Amino acid sequence: MTEQKTHHHEHPETSGDSCCSHKQNKVVEEKASSCCDHVAKKEPEPKASCCGHQEKHEHPKQGTETSHSHVHAEEKDKHAHGDMADEKKSSCCAHHEASAHKHVHHAKKQGVGLQHALHTCPCHPEVEQKGPGDCPKCGMALEPKGIVETDSNVEWTCPMHPEIVQDHPGDCPKCGMALEPRSIEAKEEENPELLDMSKRFWFSAALALPLIAIVMLDMLPSHPISHLISRRMRGFLELALATPICLWSAWPFYVRAVRSVQFRSLNMFTLIGLGVSVAYLYSVVALLFPGIFPASFRGHGGEVALYFEAAGAIVALILLGQVLELKARSQTGAAIKKLLGMAAKTARRVREDGSEEDIPLEHVRVGDRLRVRPGEKIPVDGEVLEGTSHVDESMVTGEPLPVEKVSGDKVVGATVNGTGALLMQAEKVGSETLLSRIVSMVAEAQRSRAPIQKLADVVSSYFVPTVIGISIVTFVVWAIWGPKPTMAYALINAIAVLIIACPCALGLATPMSIMVATGKGASVGVLFKNAEAIETMRSVTTLVVDKTGTLTEGRPTLVSVEPAEGFDEMELLGWIASLERDSEHPLAQAIVQGAKDKEIKLLASSGFSSITGKGVKASVDGRDVALGNPAMMQTLGVQTSAIQARAEELRAEGQTVMFAAVDGKFAGLFCVADPIKESTAEAIRALHQQGLRVVMLTGDSETTAKAVGKSLGIDEVVAGVLPDEKAAKVKALQSEGHIVAMAGDGINDAPALAQANVGIAMGTGTDVAMESADVTLVKGDLRGILRARQLSSRTMANIRQNLFFAFVYNSAGVPIAAGVLYPFFGILLSPMLGAFAMSLSSVSVISNALRLRGMKL
């Protein structure tokens, strides 16, 4: 917090929403713990220190919503820091307490690094555990949650059950799938689950191909295999080929199937393990002890049919599907990996003596001065100290045009410097940088559950038991009414039902789309905190917006100087800027910056004094210079009645008007305003075209607020509201049946952001606002809301498509596998074809979800 001057320097037309003067200050500069990022919506209490920063140095100001005072504000800011720190600590502790109740699956520790990261299931985010393993609900491999740091413990989780988390690889105790690292790394790390499944697939394929060839060749009219070896010897050859497949290659399926029973969470591996084991064991018994089977099991020639080739082919095809699925799923984090991969690896630090050295990025500390040469990547978040350049920020904002950076401007790590050289100071490093926070938010959102997922969960919970029941019914029906050999037909069709009905595609339908959508959003500067926000965003009917920093730039700018007759504009501006040069209030700085922009040299001043509630005066270059309100002019004996009408016109346009006097004469009007962002008008028009009602809530004066609202065509303007009143207004709109999104950037917006159905924070605002919101617009541009709504609509459409594919596939596949077409067309679905179709169904769902990556926003 910059120390404020102690002199009283008051100006008129002070806005009531004093807390917003501190919007540009990041009140919470230090997070208590990264775990706070995982806490659901927080609702910070509006503190008196936030809303009560009305200081005695009042400047008229439109937009920044603060009174201009140079009384010490440090004590109040310390209160704000303390309140936020306490709140974050409390939230952090609450998170740890909640985490203590999560399911943690312990298994043997294997290695370091990734094996200690928190892992979760992409289909069941409630499953979390440290280290990789399988989801106990669906059996999918758990995936890393968060950012992988090589020095820290890595956690493993189930992609379908994120509540399963462990510190080492393993299987999910709910669904049996291999756990996956929870974090996303910049470099391409080998996925241990993919490596294992690939090995098992190629091994099984090498044995399954000759196994199938033996059976298929002997179906030719000449029966070439039977001429070479006896039928019994052929059976032993099939046994030799099928046993390694069904025992070693299929072993993970059996383990997951057993666990699904242990945890009472039947899943796709329950069906696979049951189908493969029955086919293999039946064939082993039929080969070794054929005499125990009655005539109903025997075909032509009185021999019992063997199904080694079916069991082997099923395993190979399911492994193929697992490999394709794992490869496809790995593409969902491509956007984040691309961002991480573009981060700088080193930084050039400037020592105290002026010498420079190149250091690894992880050695950069807050406060370090860094040199960024033309064409280099900006290493960390910070502020420009010297130099001018244009910086390409497209990788974090999605905007293609470079942004000009001068002294005092903020820069973001991983963005690319243009042709100019910059000297910057590091302000945020490591996990505190915007890029790291983006990755954390997106990774967390990818693991969250959309409400629509509940439909798939409910269906899946009943689906597997139902399929097992259908398989039993299929066996009974074929055993009683099927053609000879009845038992052979009954067995093979029952197995086909088990294999083709695997609900993997159903489980993947929602999480895959969510994972791709959050990555896509991050690439264009729209960060979703959770899946629920993605689902809700498209349904929003009313958008509530803050004014300062959301609709406007959030900092006052000198709009115009209207000198009185006999005064030169440049000379007058130089005098007044010299009067205000020592002030750090945004309005004073606006005047000083206005003079600097016009390259006006500031002069020395002396004898500064202020008159409470009226204005300030001093001697500048031998002249008595004053700036203040009409009361100040009256105190000095300066007549302003002739200019009052013009002042009112300017106020009606949303400008703050100050009166200047030089040597006891009226010298002119100084007009300061918080300019509306260039993109705001376009965004409001587009939102209206989509049928949204736009409401502006601000603590600023009614005159200024209505002027801004009128210029933008906003439907309703509510001025002079405090933070708790903003939240109350949002709640009132919700009670009227509106689905409300709230967009804001300041501490005072946090309660309303938490209350809204969807809270939208400006990335240019405070940390507290971003932590309270569901969506963050990195660039702070309202057009990002349009991108968010479009992404929401397309994602939900994609999820519905996936669910349709999964439901239709299972609805059609199970009856065909059961043999309903056989009486009419003589069509049966073999277990091998069922396994192939089941694998393709999962891949088709993932491929459909990956189409979102190519969406234009």
Side-chain angles (χ1 to χ4, degrees), residues 351-414:
R351 299 192 184 98
E352 292 295 329
D353 60 3
S355 61
E356 300 180 1
E357 61 175 338
D358 289 325
I359 60 174
L361 186 65
E362 57 268 22
H363 291 176
V364 177
R365 298 292 178 262
V366 174
D368 284 352
R369 292 188 304 155
L370 307 173
R371 179 82 62 192
V372 186
R373 292 166 291 191
E376 290 184 337
K377 294 174 181 176
I378 293 174
V380 295
D381 296 2
E383 179 177 327
V384 177
L385 299 177
E386 298 176 7
T388 302
S389 184
H390 283 78
V391 176
D392 180 3
E393 297 183 336
S394 59
M395 68 183 71
V396 293
T397 65
E399 297 296 327
L401 295 178
V403 181
E404 184 180 10
K405 299 292 181 180
V406 297
S407 178
D409 286 345
K410 303 294 183 183
V411 288
V412 178

Side-chain angles (χ1 to χ4, degrees), residues 443-481:
E444 188 67 19
Q446 288 182 340
R447 309 302 177 202
S448 62
R449 296 168 68 83
I452 196 173
Q453 176 68 22
K454 294 177 182 177
L455 173 62
D457 289 346
V458 171
V459 172
S460 296
S461 66
Y462 292 100
F463 187 76
V464 174
T466 301
V467 168
I468 293 175
I470 294 174
S471 178
I472 294 173
V473 171
T474 300
F475 182 88
V476 171
V477 170
W478 279 89
I480 296 175
W481 292 289

Side-chain angles (χ1 to χ4, degrees), residues 475-498:
F475 182 88
V476 171
V477 170
W478 279 89
I480 296 175
W481 292 289
K484 293 182 179 181
T486 55
M487 297 303 293
Y489 275 111
L491 180 64
I492 202 67
N493 286 319
I495 292 174
V497 169
L498 292 174

Side-chain angles (χ1 to χ4, degrees), residues 771-786:
E771 289 167 8
S772 300
D774 304 292
V775 182
T776 297
L777 307 181
V778 175
K779 191 175 175 60
D781 186 340
L782 281 182
R783 288 177 297 187
I785 297 177
L786 299 170

Side-chain angles (χ1 to χ4, degrees), residues 289-371:
F289 310 103
I292 67 174
F293 289 89
S296 60
F297 283 87
R298 301 176 183 275
H300 298 291
E303 296 184 358
V304 181
L306 304 179
Y307 299 106
F308 288 120
E309 83 288 353
I314 288 171
V315 172
L317 289 170
I318 292 174
L319 285 169
L320 173 61
Q322 290 288 295
V323 170
L324 294 176
E325 180 182 312
L326 287 166
K327 286 184 176 180
R329 278 215 320 271
S330 68
Q331 299 180 45
T332 60
I336 306 304
K337 289 180 180 178
K338 181 180 178 182
L339 284 177
L340 285 172
M342 298 180 76
K345 302 297 184 293
T346 62
R348 191 168 187 82
R349 182 164 59 191
V350 180
R351 299 192 184 98
E352 292 295 329
D353 60 3
S355 61
E356 300 180 1
E357 61 175 338
D358 289 325
I359 60 174
L361 186 65
E362 57 268 22
H363 291 176
V364 177
R365 298 292 178 262
V366 174
D368 284 352
R369 292 188 304 155
L370 307 173
R371 179 82 62 192

Side-chain angles (χ1 to χ4, degrees), residues 219-241:
M219 290 182 180
L220 296 174
S222 59
H223 304 291
I225 302 299
S226 296
H227 287 304
L228 294 175
I229 56 177
S230 68
R231 188 174 183 84
R232 186 164 180 79
M233 286 302 298
R234 193 192 80 175
F236 279 105
L237 178 59
E238 292 178 13
L239 173 64
L241 292 171

Side-chain angles (χ1 to χ4, degrees), residues 561-573:
V561 177
E562 297 189 2
E565 187 176 351
F567 289 90
D568 178 73
E569 179 182 346
M570 296 297 132
E571 189 175 34
L572 178 61
L573 177 56

Side-chain angles (χ1 to χ4, degrees), residues 193-306:
E193 169 75 354
L194 177 58
L195 285 175
D196 182 60
M197 288 296 177
S198 296
K199 289 178 181 177
R200 294 178 188 274
F201 164 69
W202 289 113
F203 178 81
S204 61
L207 297 178
L209 287 175
L211 179 61
I212 296 172
I214 290 173
V215 177
M216 299 298 291
L217 287 174
D218 214 37
M219 290 182 180
L220 296 174
S222 59
H223 304 291
I225 302 299
S226 296
H227 287 304
L228 294 175
I229 56 177
S230 68
R231 188 174 183 84
R232 186 164 180 79
M233 286 302 298
R234 193 192 80 175
F236 279 105
L237 178 59
E238 292 178 13
L239 173 64
L241 292 171
T243 297
I245 300 175
C246 295
L247 295 186
W248 182 77
S249 296
W251 184 253
F253 302 153
Y254 302 143
V255 172
R256 296 173 185 182
V258 171
R259 285 182 179 172
S260 72
V261 177
Q262 287 178 333
F263 288 94
R264 297 180 182 178
S265 181
L266 304 183
N267 53 58
M268 59 178 282
F269 293 104
T270 313
L271 304 180
I272 293 171
L274 187 59
V276 173
S277 60
V278 168
Y280 174 74
L281 293 175
Y282 168 82
S283 299
V284 170
V285 174
L287 176 64
L288 299 179
F289 310 103
I292 67 174
F293 289 89
S296 60
F297 283 87
R298 301 176 183 275
H300 298 291
E303 296 184 358
V304 181
L306 304 179

